[in-house]
Amino acid sequence: DAFGKVIALFEALVRAQPGVVRYRSGLAGGYANLSKVFDATGDHPAAQAALEKAIAAYEDLVRQQPAVPDHRNGLASSYSNLGAVLQARSDLTAARKADGKAIALFEALVREHPSLLDYQEGLARTYNNLGYVLDDAGDHPAAREAYGKALATFESLVRAQPRSEEHTSELQSRQYLVC
């Protein structure tokens, strides 16, 4: 219920001062975080609804401030998370579409900010998620291609940060996906 209170606070702040970007950004992030709670408890319909609100809020922020990478990263992450929730709900067509939007956003962020590894990590995770969706849909060649792109991106992350246990572990756990 703490997330509900935070979201209610941000909603009130946005209504009172709609021009304050940090309030709108906080509201978008609150919806995205709330979706993770719902997803973790298996309430996928509520997770989807929260992500759709996050996406709407981030899309508004991106329209108004397209040069701010944090807004686009929030939007990309929300689409990626939506893809995973939709896959859990067996809506593979919508999951594939959400992952495609996330990939396009992350690819642009990686091109524009190649030294910010968080964007590469988001891209790799989304390619991996897309691989699962495509596997579930029976499109194994396309799944293999998505897994290959995820693996290549994780390998790039390990080269950039060879001491990162997180990236090395992620790479090792994904090796079997492209075999």
Side-chain angles (χ1 to χ4, degrees), residues 97-132:
K97 184 177 177 182
D99 284 338
K101 289 180 178 183
I103 287 168
L105 288 160
F106 278 128
E107 284 178 339
L109 286 165
V110 168
R111 270 192 313 277
E112 295 166 21
H113 308 280
S115 65
L116 295 178
L117 301 182
D118 286 349
Y119 301 151
Q120 292 179 40
E121 185 175 334
L123 179 61
R125 288 183 191 281
T126 305
Y127 271 127
N128 194 63
N129 291 348
L130 178 61
Y132 286 126

Side-chain angles (χ1 to χ4, degrees), residues 44-74:
H44 301 300
Q48 181 178 344
L51 282 166
E52 288 169 351
K53 288 180 180 180
I55 287 168
Y58 278 123
E59 284 178 339
D60 184 51
L61 288 164
V62 169
R63 259 191 308 279
Q64 292 179 6
Q65 296 182 318
V68 177
D70 285 345
H71 300 331
R72 290 184 290 145
N73 184 48

